[in-house]
Amino acid sequence: MTAETSTGASTRYREFRMPDVGEGLTEAEILKWYVKPGDSVTDGQVVCEVETAKAAVELPIPYDGVVHALRFEEGTTVDVGASIITVDVAPGTEDGSGGGVGGGTAEPVAASAAEPSAASAAASSTSSTSSAAAASSTAAPATRTPVLVGYGVAEASTKRRPRKGAPVPGQQAPKLNGHAQAVAAEAPAPAEAQASAPVAPVASGTPAGRPLAKPPVRKLAKDLGVDLATVTPTGPNGIVTREDVHAATAPAPAPATVTEPVAAPASSAVPEQASTVATAPAAPGRETRTPIKGVRKATAAAMVGSAFTAPHVTEFITVDVTRTMKLVEELKADREMAGLRVNPLLLIAKALLVAIRRNPEVNAAWDEANQEIVVKHYVNLGIAAATPRGLIVPNIKDAHDQPLPRLAAALGDLVATAREGRTTPAAMQGGTVTITNVGVFGVDTGTPILNPGEAAILAVGAIKLQPWVHKGKVKPRQVTTLALSFDHRLIDGALGSQFLADIAAILERPKRLITWG
């Protein structure tokens, strides 16, 4: 569910929640808002663009109304399921006694986790300092309290549980250790709080009970080696947020300059003389730190997993592609290819598809769960593309069935969409084999890492004019180097070598596209 009615009797406000736009994603970053509070929206209108671990995606709103509030700013990473925008679906109506849409008094829309309302803070302070008045007040009806996934639903009690660390009537407040006393003494507090509310002691040990945190936050804490019991929560209702976990791992800032006397050794000629050691921070501008998130974070995790899961083998072959380059020029002038992007990569992709037809076992996957080798009778051809957000590998579905003009059109659309940052998560799922063209950067060759779930990846080096022995004479020819990395669990040396040799043979004499295809 991506939207739900706000808490209370009124159905005036609707919450649009961050959906899972991929397969099992847990978070997304808000890149850009296309609306602002007060703007009218209609069902299906795109309201924002978000970046997941796989791609940038535009999110449409599922109903009509007026934007009431944007819950997060641009650049914020939001958990899937969190409310990101509130829409007034009944603008012009008055909230109040008898004036709500549902016939009751509309409650205010809940504030986001990052921005608790001032009223809530005031209510909490009043509750902690006026326990006697609260005990004598009339009991309010129970309301549904917000919960986390896996914690169930609890009914609110009329008796407020005392805050952790708050003094209980009749019980002596715990003593503060030296560090806590120093922190409490240095921390400024509002005049009203100092006058009416007792100072809450700083926790010096593990709090009682299991800390509240969402599953992604718990996983982050586990990955970083942080004990949630030692983290001070800042979220609503005592929930530990991602920022709290990161804050717990941040090192304490070093002092600007530390000067310490260093005693001279006993054998020094001047025993009375002392030297100093000064430690100063790095000059500003010497480092740039960029948060690891989105596509780059997902790519890093996938490459690490692939490199340490599949036993990689890489083989190389240098080939004369002069005839292929001549065919490229001829195809550019062909009427059937008019308006299409024709380049060497197109014929290399076609050569790979023909080679797979001759060596179908290359187009396979390793099923660890079922202990099976899965040979696929279709080819979803992945093309590695460098984008401003990082490396992505969209694929051309059923590329094995595409004639050359359709393959050229699909390849052109794939590259253009990737450069614009509009590649969808669906376009990057289900790949079976990949081509990475490192030659566009002037690189001769490389040892590419397998795309997770695939058995082979072909790296294409730069095509250069080089001296080459042709028909018994040294002549300048167009030459390139191909590198094939493959999963040695699935592809042995003989199969990998034959597959790479077939690709090279086609590129050397492209007429084999007809005779072998």
Side-chain angles (χ1 to χ4, degrees):
M1 181 187 303
T2 58
E4 68 174 22
T5 307
S6 61
T7 306
S10 173
T11 58
R12 173 175 175 178
Y13 296 105
R14 304 293 297 273
E15 302 287 337
F16 178 60
R17 301 185 180 279
M18 178 69 74
D20 178 3
V21 295
E23 293 183 351
L25 298 178
T26 59
E27 62 185 17
E29 178 187 354
I30 297 178
L31 295 179
K32 184 177 182 181
W33 283 108
Y34 296 123
V35 295
K36 60 183 182 299
D39 288 352
S40 297
V41 293
T42 57
D43 187 358
Q45 177 181 340
V46 174
V47 295
C48 68
E49 181 184 21
V50 301
E51 181 185 23
T52 69
K54 296 183 177 181
V57 181
E58 292 182 335
L59 299 183
I61 201 77
Y63 32 73
D64 302 337
V66 175
V67 177
H68 178 71
L70 305 180
R71 294 306 183 189
F72 296 94
E73 297 180 354
E74 294 178 354
T76 305
T77 299
V78 183
D79 292 333
V80 169
S83 174
I84 60 175
I85 181 173
T86 305
V87 175
D88 184 352
V89 297
T93 60
E94 294 290 337
D95 283 340
S97 178
V101 176
T105 302
E107 297 182 5
V109 179
S112 67
E115 300 177 357
S117 64
S120 299
S124 176
S125 175
T126 303
S127 174
S128 62
T129 57
S130 306
S131 58
S136 61
S137 62
T138 303
T143 59
R144 187 181 186 278
T145 58
V147 296
L148 299 179
V149 176
Y151 287 91
V153 180
E155 296 296 328
S157 173
T158 56
K159 182 178 179 181
R160 185 180 181 90
R161 184 178 66 181
R163 292 180 301 170
K164 294 180 180 180
V168 180
Q171 180 180 353
Q172 184 178 2
K175 291 185 178 181
L176 302 179
N177 56 30
H179 174 69
Q181 290 176 357
V183 172
E186 294 177 1
E192 297 83 0
Q194 294 177 353
S196 60
V199 178
V202 178
S204 59
T206 302
R210 187 186 186 196
L212 291 179
K214 296 181 180 179
V217 177
R218 292 187 182 279
K219 183 178 183 303
L220 174 64
K222 182 179 179 181
D223 294 342
L224 297 179
V226 176
D227 184 0
L228 287 177
T230 64
V231 178
T232 302
T234 62
N237 302 321
I239 296 175
V240 178
T241 66
R242 297 176 64 89
E243 291 73 17
D244 298 337
V245 175
H246 285 300
T249 61
T257 303
V258 178
T259 304
E260 300 177 354
V262 179
S267 59
S268 174
V270 187
E272 298 84 1
Q273 186 178 1
S275 60
T276 60
V277 176
T279 303
R286 289 173 62 85
E287 294 181 346
T288 298
R289 293 179 175 266
T290 303
I292 303 173
K293 55 185 178 180
V295 173
R296 192 171 298 277
K297 180 179 180 180
T299 301
M303 292 300 97
V304 170
S306 177
F308 291 97
T309 301
H312 285 57
V313 173
T314 305
E315 293 186 342
F316 309 89
I317 189 169
T318 303
V319 57
D320 177 5
V321 294
T322 303
R323 293 184 180 92
T324 293
M325 298 303 292
K326 290 180 178 178
L327 180 57
V328 169
E329 296 303 320
E330 292 175 5
L331 289 175
K332 288 181 179 179
D334 193 300
R335 290 189 303 174
E336 296 295 328
M337 306 296 288
L340 299 176
R341 183 173 180 176
V342 180
N343 54 21
L345 181 60
L346 173 62
L347 295 185
I348 292 171
K350 192 64 176 178
L352 179 138
L353 294 172
V354 173
I356 287 178
R357 185 175 301 176
R358 292 169 57 85
N359 306 273
E361 296 84 0
V362 169
N363 192 46
W366 183 276
D367 188 342
E368 181 67 28
N370 296 317
Q371 288 295 292
E372 295 175 340
I373 294 175
V374 183
V375 177
K376 301 177 181 179
H377 305 295
Y378 61 92
V379 180
N380 290 344
L381 179 59
I383 304 295
T387 71
R389 295 189 179 96
L391 180 69
I392 63 175
V393 188
N395 59 78
I396 301 173
K397 309 298 183 185
D398 294 324
H400 64 289
D401 282 339
Q402 308 280 359
L404 197 62
R406 287 175 55 186
L407 184 63
L411 188 59
D413 291 343
L414 179 147
V415 173
T417 302
R419 288 177 177 174
E420 294 172 0
R422 301 297 179 185
T423 303
T424 64
M428 293 185 286
Q429 296 168 2
T432 62
V433 66
T434 296
I435 295 177
T436 176
N437 186 9
V438 298
V440 296
F441 305 105
V443 176
D444 292 333
T445 189
T447 55
I449 297 178
L450 293 169
N451 205 29
E454 300 177 11
I457 179 172
L458 178 70
V460 182
I463 299 175
K464 298 179 180 179
L465 196 63
Q466 298 181 15
W468 192 263
V469 177
H470 178 68
K471 295 181 180 180
K473 297 181 180 180
V474 177
K475 295 182 179 181
R477 304 287 287 181
Q478 299 282 354
V479 178
T480 189
T481 300
L482 306 177
L484 178 72
S485 290
F486 52 87
D487 186 342
H488 217 329
R489 297 174 300 176
L490 295 158
I491 304 173
D492 58 26
L495 177 59
S497 300
Q498 185 60 56
F499 177 62
L500 182 58
D502 284 352
I503 298 174
I506 295 172
L507 295 178
E508 184 177 8
R509 295 182 180 272
K511 68 179 182 180
R512 290 191 172 103
L513 288 172
I514 301 174
T515 58
W516 289 1

